[in-house]
Amino acid sequence: MALPVAFFALFFAWPVAAIVARGLKVDGAWQLGRTADVVTRPDIRHVLWFTTWQALASTGLTLLLALPAGYVFARLDFPGKQVLRAVVTVPFVLPTVVAGSAFLALVGHGGLLDDLWGVRLDTTVWAILLAHVFFNYAVVVRTVGGLWSQLDPRQEEAARMLGASPLGAWRRVTLPALAPAVAAAALMVFLFTFTSFGIVQILGGPTFSTLEVEIYRQTSEVFDLSAAAVLTLVQFVAVGLILAVHAWTVRRRETALRLVDPKTAARRPRGAGQWALLAGVLVTIALLLVLPLAVLVRRSLDAPGLGYYRALTNPDGGTFLVAPAHAVWTSLQYAVAATAVAVVIGGLAAAALARRDAGRLVRGFDALLMLPLGVSAVTVGFGFLIALDKPPLDLRQSWILVPLAQALVGAPFVVRTMLPVLRAVDVRLREAAAVLGASPWRVWREVDLPLVRRALLVAAGFAFAVSLGEFGATVFIARPDNPTLPVAVARLLSRPGDLNYGQAMALSTILMVVCAAALLFLERLRTDRTGEF
């Protein structure tokens, strides 16, 4: 635990504490009364209200549209199911900047709806809600559908034989068993939408602002560090409560259930109702998930002769100091370095948490590992600039600063992927190897590593995809001569002109292809023991 604890203390706790202290201290004295002044401001109250209700609306809409797909993937068997499963997961691993760009190409000025019917939904709350559903659809399908596929269908069939209607049997038998998974999925969606930044930044315009966007605005535009610090504390408390409830629902989900092999529970669709449900889910996936990505690709090809892609190789001297295409190579280098750090830190933490003799303090660190996913990435990024500015950790001019910020987000995914597999390793195998004289390192190398190799590769793939798309912290610390792909996309979208817009669509398409390739690699490696997320 020594290295993971030191890593999170130096590169998460310290930067966050530094930016909060900088905002709440005036002339060396704490100004705690500033908290009430900021929270009661009308504009801040409006931000808090919008952040909360849009997260609730996004969560409800995601559950409404994704739960039928969870049933289809769990209970129905049809051609192309595995390919469709991968398609559903693509939006989740895409950076939020790409999701925002895809919906901007669909509902924005000159988008598909504007061209066909003259309808524009950008800078409206509907664009934000639909983009959130697009991004979180796979969370519900995988979390709920994963458990649903393992529930014994004979329990519901027994209720039907005793006279229960199909709806009554589902409500009294299946729904109570699914409730913890539904609650866990809802809380994850709420967490992601409550802390939404890239999507709201691109689609919300000046009209809508979440806490995360407001922290960025107060820090980089208004330069009011005091207000930003207060908002960071508010978000920190809210995220802590969400994670506490999430931990409780996960423990409920781990209670004993009668589970079966998912392959035995899925059957070919029978009856008009199941065929109609399958058709409805396919149409929803096509319109909500595939269409925005297809429009994104089409807009990147509007210029004849791949003009937007060719323009990426030429620096314009205004938006970038280097050619925009340089961001592709920079992002890949950063993502590889961040993946290496995340795998080492997350792997060590998972190994410590998997031990049956782990103490209460070690188990408590498991919950702390999730905080970087919910605490403001903008705060972390700006905190890097404030905290890591003195020897021996003066890293402001170092390239490693970006991979370290990205690894903070990737490490929790590594832990969540590897922990179930490590816990499933029979401890007697380790004991037998130790009795035969193997050192602890050799036991790990010859017993644990062969069993968790696939999970390790899956964890590395998730960390790579997440690192590639990190935006909130990177937007502060990426150097002008080495922008990452999400930062480059955001900068291009912030400037007027068809050429800038087209280049943003082209870069977003490149980023989407790279993330999708990483996902297809994961799908080939995925096993039932590696978990869903």
Side-chain angles (χ1 to χ4, degrees):
M1 289 296 296
L3 190 57
V5 169
F7 178 80
F8 278 90
L10 284 175
F11 301 116
F12 177 69
W14 186 19
V16 172
I19 186 67
V20 171
R22 178 70 64 91
L24 294 182
K25 268 189 175 181
V26 178
D27 297 327
W30 290 96
Q31 302 292 324
L32 298 181
R34 176 69 171 154
T35 302
D37 295 337
V38 172
V39 174
T40 55
R41 280 167 39 184
D43 59 325
I44 299 300
R45 279 188 294 146
H46 175 74
V47 169
L48 292 172
W49 168 242
F50 175 75
T51 301
T52 304
W53 83 256
Q54 68 82 23
L56 290 171
S58 297
T59 303
L61 190 58
T62 303
L63 290 174
L64 179 66
L65 294 175
L67 281 177
Y71 171 83
V72 165
F73 282 99
R75 290 292 192 237
L76 302 184
D77 187 21
F78 51 92
K81 181 177 177 180
Q82 293 304 318
V83 174
L84 191 65
R85 180 188 178 94
V87 170
V88 166
T89 314
V90 166
F92 180 75
V93 301
L94 287 180
T96 55
V97 171
V98 175
S101 300
F103 271 83
L104 194 63
L106 179 64
V107 303
H109 174 68
L112 182 63
L113 296 184
D114 192 14
D115 290 343
L116 293 179
W117 299 295
V119 176
R120 288 183 57 186
L121 296 177
D122 59 325
T123 68
T124 69
V125 71
W126 280 108
I128 295 173
L129 295 181
L130 289 175
H132 281 159
V133 176
F134 167 86
F135 187 75
N136 294 291
Y137 192 88
V139 174
V140 177
V141 172
R142 293 241 173 176
T143 305
V144 179
L147 179 60
W148 207 336
S149 66
Q150 298 179 72
L151 294 180
D152 193 342
R154 291 175 296 181
Q155 296 175 342
E156 191 171 323
E157 292 170 0
R160 293 284 308 278
M161 293 180 63
L162 293 174
S165 65
L167 180 60
W170 180 83
R171 182 171 56 86
R172 296 182 180 182
V173 177
T174 304
L175 184 58
L178 288 176
V182 173
L187 282 165
M188 281 190 286
V189 174
F190 184 85
L191 175 64
F192 291 145
T193 53
F194 187 83
T195 58
S196 180
F197 177 61
I199 288 175
V200 180
Q201 179 79 349
I202 291 175
L203 296 175
T207 308
F208 301 106
S209 179
T210 57
L211 265 176
E212 187 86 353
V213 175
E214 188 63 21
I215 291 171
Y216 174 77
R217 192 178 73 85
Q218 294 290 337
T219 303
S220 63
E221 298 177 9
V222 183
F223 304 109
D224 188 348
L225 292 185
S226 179
V230 171
L231 295 179
T232 297
L233 290 177
V234 171
Q235 189 177 34
F236 187 84
V237 172
V239 168
L241 292 174
I242 295 170
L243 291 178
V245 177
H246 179 262
W248 177 71
T249 59
V250 168
R251 285 196 298 271
R252 286 189 60 201
R253 186 182 173 188
E254 292 174 349
T255 56
L257 292 172
R258 186 175 179 183
L259 303 179
V260 298
D261 186 345
K263 296 180 180 178
T264 64
R267 301 175 179 175
R268 298 281 293 179
R270 293 177 296 181
Q274 289 189 347
W275 282 107
L277 180 62
L278 175 59
V281 168
L282 293 177
V283 170
T284 301
I285 292 174
L287 294 178
L288 185 64
L289 306 185
V290 177
L291 182 60
L293 298 179
V295 173
L296 174 68
V297 176
R298 185 191 71 83
R299 291 303 303 268
S300 73
L301 299 173
D302 276 351
L306 300 177
Y308 292 143
Y309 288 91
R310 287 190 288 105
L312 295 177
T313 61
N314 301 317
D316 62 3
T319 308
F320 304 102
L321 299 178
V322 294
H326 182 73
V328 178
W329 176 238
T330 300
S331 288
L332 292 175
Q333 289 178 301
Y334 284 160
V336 169
T339 300
V341 174
V343 167
V344 172
I345 299 299
L348 290 173
L353 293 169
R355 292 179 61 90
R356 288 184 171 85
D357 58 349
R360 187 172 298 176
L361 184 62
V362 174
R363 292 195 299 269
F365 186 65
D366 187 17
L368 296 178
L369 288 171
M370 297 293 291
L371 282 179
L373 297 181
V375 173
S376 170
V378 171
T379 300
V380 174
F382 196 56
F384 268 36
L385 298 180
I386 292 178
L388 306 179
D389 63 341
K390 296 178 181 178
L393 282 176
D394 186 0
L395 302 177
R396 288 175 300 174
Q397 301 300 321
S398 174
W399 67 271
I400 196 64
L401 201 62
V402 173
L404 288 175
Q406 294 172 342
L408 279 173
V409 182
F413 284 90
V414 175
V415 175
R416 295 270 71 81
T417 304
M418 293 189 62
L419 191 56
V421 183
L422 286 170
R423 283 175 173 166
V425 176
D426 192 340
V427 69
R428 293 173 296 181
L429 296 175
R430 301 188 184 109
E431 293 171 351
V435 168
L436 293 173
S439 64
W441 166 247
R442 189 174 180 186
V443 171
W444 162 255
R445 181 165 50 87
E446 298 191 8
V447 176
D448 290 75
L449 185 58
L451 296 174
V452 303
R453 184 163 39 227
R454 282 192 175 183
L456 185 63
L457 291 173
V458 170
F462 267 122
F464 179 81
V466 170
S467 301
L468 198 65
E470 204 287 322
F471 176 62
T474 309
V475 71
F476 270 100
I477 58 181
R479 295 168 57 179
D481 57 340
N482 282 308
T484 62
L485 275 170
V487 172
V489 171
R491 289 181 184 174
L492 287 167
L493 288 175
S494 67
R495 300 191 68 194
D498 290 340
L499 180 60
N500 288 317
Y501 182 82
Q503 289 183 91
M505 297 297 108
L507 277 181
S508 297
T509 302
I510 293 172
L511 190 50
M512 178 188 70
V513 170
V514 175
C515 289
L519 176 65
L520 292 176
F521 172 75
L522 296 183
E523 282 295 316
R524 290 179 61 87
L525 294 173
R526 189 184 63 84
T527 65
D528 290 334
R529 298 180 68 184
T530 60
E532 295 300 331
F533 279 100

